[in-house]
């Protein structure tokens, strides 16, 4: 019976002094989760109800914010349960599902940022062809690829890991991330190679495409008038700030899963929480404040009604 429990359940051992700060953790994470849902949902709502925001750029922003809300939901409810539980455990099958849901949505962010980069490239470098190129069908294809390709890539190692033999049942993390593979007794060479393919397809190639398109945009802007440079800065800088933030967090997540080292537990907890805490709030903040149309509607939404 004990052996069956060990095989089935994983202990999440990445929390720091959870017994001492249990309720502090719970209230902070609960408030942050509510903020994430409210902030992302507010901008999503504005984009949905205002016809002038039904443009490719804002549709991609809406998809990005929807991703943030969904992958936060893949992590936060389990966090809140763990903070109020005596033992922080999760079944191995649920752990794999959390891993699949979180990473398929997180990786799709690179594809959405790549689609946004291409949209800005066409708008700035080929403005006369923009209505012809960025049609509803094109936007739908980009969204389909952004969500389907990462899901397909993550599904294969997740299914392969479902029947893997485990030699460890303690995961030194707060949720099921890439380090889930360290629990396996023997990792398949095929899945190790496939992991490199995933890194190339889901991270490096979209990143190179984004850098290429933004290089073209900045070269075009440099040669153009001041108004074009201002337009490029207003629309591209928010995307670049989100890209840099997410790329740094993604690099940490990839490296920490492959480097076997005695990384301080507190530092590991802080860095791991960045993926689920800081980034989902960073996106709506950047797009809500930097995008003129969204910011205008936000001000109107929260402004008091005029006095009669």
């Amino acid at each position: 019976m004990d052996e069956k429990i060990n095989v089935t359940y994983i202990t999440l051992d990445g929390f720091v002094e959870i017994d001492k700060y249990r309720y502090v953790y719970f209230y902070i994470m609960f408030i942050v989760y509510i903020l994430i849902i409210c902030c992302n949902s507010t901008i999503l709502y504005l984009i949905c109800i205002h016809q002038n925001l039904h443009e490719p750029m804002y549709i991609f922003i809406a998809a990005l914010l929807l991703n943030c809300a969904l992958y936060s939901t893949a992590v936060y409810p389990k966090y809140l349960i763990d903070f109020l539980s005596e033992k922080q455990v999760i079944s191995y099958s649920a752990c794999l599902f959390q891993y699949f849901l979180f990473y398929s949505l997180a990786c799709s962010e690179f594809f959405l940022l790549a689609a946004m980069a291409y949209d800005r490239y066409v708008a700035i470098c080929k403005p006369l062809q923009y209505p012809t190129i960025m049609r509803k069908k094109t936007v739908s294809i980009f969204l389909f690829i952004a969500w389907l390709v990462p899901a397909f890539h993550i599904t294969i190692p997740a299914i392969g890991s479902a029947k893997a033999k485990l030699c460890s049942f303690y995961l030194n993390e707060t949720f099921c991330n890439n380090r889930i593979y360290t629990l396996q007794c023997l990792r398949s060479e095929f899945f190790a190679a496939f992991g490199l393919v995933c890194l190339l397809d889901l991270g490096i190639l979209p990143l190179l495409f984004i850098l290429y398109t933004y290089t073209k945009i900045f070269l075009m802007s440099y040669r153009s008038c001041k108004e074009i440079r201002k337009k490029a800065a207003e629309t591209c800088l928010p995307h670049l700030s989100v890209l840099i933030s997410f790329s740094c967090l993604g690099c940490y997540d990839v490296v920490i899963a492959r480097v076997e080292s005695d990384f301080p537990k507190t530092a590991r907890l802080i860095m791991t929480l960045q993926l689920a805490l800081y980034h989902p709030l960073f996106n709506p903040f950047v797009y809500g404040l930097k995008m003129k149309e969204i910011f205008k509607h936000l001000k109107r939404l929260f402004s008091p009604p005029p006095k009669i």
Side-chain angles (χ1 to χ4, degrees), residues 233-250:
E234 286 178 351
T235 59
C236 295
L237 287 180
H239 305 328
L240 282 177
S241 61
V242 170
L243 174 66
I244 293 169
S245 167
F246 192 69
S247 297
C248 292
L249 295 174

Side-chain angles (χ1 to χ4, degrees), residues 29 32 36 67-73 75-76 79 102-103 105-107 109-110 173-178 245-256 268-283:
M29 299 303 282
V32 170
I36 289 171
N67 263 22
C68 288
L70 290 177
Y71 78 65
S72 296
T73 302
V75 174
Y76 274 82
Y79 271 155
F102 181 84
Y103 281 102
L105 290 169
C107 290
E109 185 153 338
F110 273 120
E173 298 290 345
T174 58
F175 70 96
C176 298
N177 60 8
N178 273 319
S245 167
F246 192 69
S247 297
C248 292
L249 295 174
C251 286
Y252 163 79
D253 189 65
V254 170
V255 170
I256 202 64
R268 186 192 297 275
L269 173 64
I270 293 172
M271 289 302 298
T272 302
L273 287 178
Q274 299 304 303
L275 284 167
L277 190 151
Y278 154 76
H279 190 69
L281 280 175
F282 183 67
N283 280 357

Side-chain angles (χ1 to χ4, degrees), residues 152-219:
F152 172 76
H153 278 70
I154 303 299
T155 297
I156 294 177
I159 292 175
S161 300
K163 296 182 180 180
K165 185 179 179 181
L166 304 181
C167 285
S168 175
F169 305 100
Y170 289 86
L171 188 64
N172 192 22
E173 298 290 345
T174 58
F175 70 96
C176 298
N177 60 8
N178 273 319
R179 286 183 62 84
I180 192 174
Y181 296 114
T182 63
L183 303 178
Q184 299 173 7
C185 298
L186 181 64
R187 189 176 177 187
S188 167
E189 292 183 2
F190 169 78
F191 287 115
F194 191 78
L196 294 177
V197 173
C198 289
L199 178 62
L200 178 67
D201 289 351
L202 302 181
I204 296 176
L205 288 180
L207 184 61
L208 290 176
F209 177 78
I210 293 169
L211 293 176
Y212 171 77
T213 53
Y214 277 118
T215 301
K216 299 284 285 185
I217 289 171
F218 289 136
L219 288 175

Side-chain angles (χ1 to χ4, degrees), residues 119-158:
D119 174 74
R120 292 300 86 202
Y121 165 74
V122 176
I124 295 171
C125 299
K126 302 179 180 180
L128 297 179
Q129 301 177 40
Y130 184 83
T132 305
I133 296 175
M134 296 304 296
R135 296 174 297 174
K136 288 184 178 181
K137 184 178 179 180
T138 307
V139 174
S140 300
I141 291 172
F142 281 148
L143 292 176
F144 183 75
I145 292 173
W147 280 315
L148 185 67
V149 172
F152 172 76
H153 278 70
I154 303 299
T155 297
I156 294 177

